[in-house]
């Protein structure tokens, strides 16, 4: 099967990471036409007959929707199927668009569940793109049962169209360790024994220096729960918590985005928290290894990657008990607190602070498994045609 794959979102946040995790398996198993910027795709050039189609047209633009170049569409339509890691699908107002089976990914519908995030017009535009993807696609993928349920409910998803859950995972390179342990959640290799894994994780923390920080990885949107974390952190400090709060991101975002959150930060002593600014993937991995705890106080997620990344680096996690986290992290060595409950979060921070590094005994999520599910769904549709 020859696949056309939209790679224009390489390097753009979580969707880019998701695509990077899948591409090695796509290019290993099938002949692929990769649509994107050649500089982003150089490592795949020549691999198993990979072709790179130069395209820098902005995703979700009018040009993508209505004026996509006909020569690019011809190249796409020479393949057996088209895959996009998000819900953007190229087309033309006149002269046709993609004629081969299309498969898209809707990671979550947070903007429909929490419409105040984007406002009335922004929510309408996002809903149109979601519904457009559902209409155009022969099959849609998402990253959790929770997201699948919300998609079915809010987008009136057709009963006769596949909606397939393909769980997210930690990329292999993220867990490829400097300590010599080759197994991680995102690795396609078999997991190591629990004792070897525990030794490697403990060594990672011992070698990385100070581990007296509490880490938050996310953005400033209301559903990420910073308005819960900050008073809980202040309360935990009053009860004896010694660590600082490290926020991955830029303080300037708060000055322009959420004055209430900024006021909460201003009420904390400056030595109790810090902002990292923009960090690379390698720097983020190092932060996970150095920090004592990751806290994920989200009120809504489609999957929630930071806890999985932290666990892969031997860092304990405190996270809210929202349904999707209970689905994804059931049975894992994490500490749940009552979502939105400041006092419960403060208590859980204090108790989790004393825990030894977590040990993962199951390689539950991997991009190898996810890619296999995607291939199976595609092949079923293509075979019927």
């Amino acid at each position: 099967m020859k696949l056309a794959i939209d790679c224009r979102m390489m390097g753009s946040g979580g969707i880019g990471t998701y695509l990077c995790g899948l591409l090695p398996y796509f290019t290993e198993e099938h002949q692929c036409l990769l649509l994107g910027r050649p500089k982003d795709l150089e490592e795949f050039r020549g691999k198993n007959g990979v072709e790179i189609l130069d395209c820098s047209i902005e995703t979700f633009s009018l040009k993508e929707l209505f004026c996509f170049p006909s020569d690019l569409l011809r190249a796409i339509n020479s393949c057996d199927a088209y895959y996009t890691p998000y819900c953007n699908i190229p087309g033309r107002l006149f002269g046709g668009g993609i004629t081969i089976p299309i498969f898209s990914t809707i990671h979550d519908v947070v903007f429909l569940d929490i419409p105040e995030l984007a406002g009335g017009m922004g929510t309408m535009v996002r809903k149109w793109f979601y519904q457009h993807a559902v209409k155009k696609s022969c099959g849609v993928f998402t990253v959790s049962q929770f997201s699948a349920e919300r998609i079915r409910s809010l987008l009136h998803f057709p009963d006769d169209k596949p909606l397939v859950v393909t769980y997210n995972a930690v990329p292999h390179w993220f867990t490829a360790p400097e300590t010599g342990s080759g197994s991680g959640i995102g690795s396609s290799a078999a997991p190591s024994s629990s004792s070897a894994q525990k030794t490697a994780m403990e060594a990672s923390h011992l070698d990385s220096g100070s581990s007296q920080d509490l880490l938050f990885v996310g953005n400033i949107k209301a559903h990420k729960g910073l308005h819960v974390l900050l008073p809980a952190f202040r309360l935990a400090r009053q009860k004896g918590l010694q660590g600082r709060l490290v926020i991955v991101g830029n303080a300037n975002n708060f000055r322009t985005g959420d004055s209430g959150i900024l006021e909460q930060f201003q009420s904390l002593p400056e030595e109790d928290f810090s902002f990292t600014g923009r960090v690379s993937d390698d720097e983020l991995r190092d932060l996970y290894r150095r920090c004592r705890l990751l806290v994920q106080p989200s009120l809504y997620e489609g999957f929630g990657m930071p806890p999985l990344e932290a666990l892969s680096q031997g860092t304990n996690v405190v996270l809210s008990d929202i349904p999707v986290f209970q689905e994804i992290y059931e049975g894992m060595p994490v500490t749940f607190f009552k979502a939105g409950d400041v006092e419960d979060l403060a208590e859980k921070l204090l108790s989790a602070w004393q825990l030894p590094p977590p040990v993962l005994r199951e390689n539950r999520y991997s991009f190898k498994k996810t890619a296999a599910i995607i291939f199976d769904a595609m092949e079923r549709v293509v075979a019927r045609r």
Side-chain angles (χ1 to χ4, degrees), residues 267-343:
S267 70
L268 292 170
E270 288 188 7
E271 63 271 16
D272 284 0
F273 68 93
S274 65
F275 293 89
T276 65
R278 186 178 178 86
V279 299
S280 68
D281 292 328
D282 287 338
E283 289 169 331
L284 178 60
R285 179 172 59 178
D286 189 55
L287 279 168
Y288 283 129
R289 291 177 175 178
R290 288 179 178 275
C291 287
R292 192 175 185 111
L293 278 180
L294 171 82
V295 59
Q296 189 81 16
S298 304
L299 303 179
Y300 188 104
E301 295 284 351
F303 182 93
M305 276 300 298
L308 204 57
E309 292 170 340
L311 288 171
S312 77
Q313 302 305 310
T315 300
N316 280 302
V317 174
V318 176
L319 71 171
S320 54
D321 63 352
I322 57 176
V324 69
F325 282 166
Q326 294 187 60
E327 172 192 345
I328 301 301
Y329 296 101
E330 180 185 10
M332 289 191 178
V334 300
T335 300
F336 286 106
F337 76 94
K338 297 175 185 176
D341 190 321
V342 170
E343 292 187 0

Side-chain angles (χ1 to χ4, degrees), residues 7 82 92 100 124 167 220 243 340:
C7 302
Y82 177 82
R92 288 185 69 83
I100 58 176
M124 287 176 59
Y167 287 109
I220 63 174

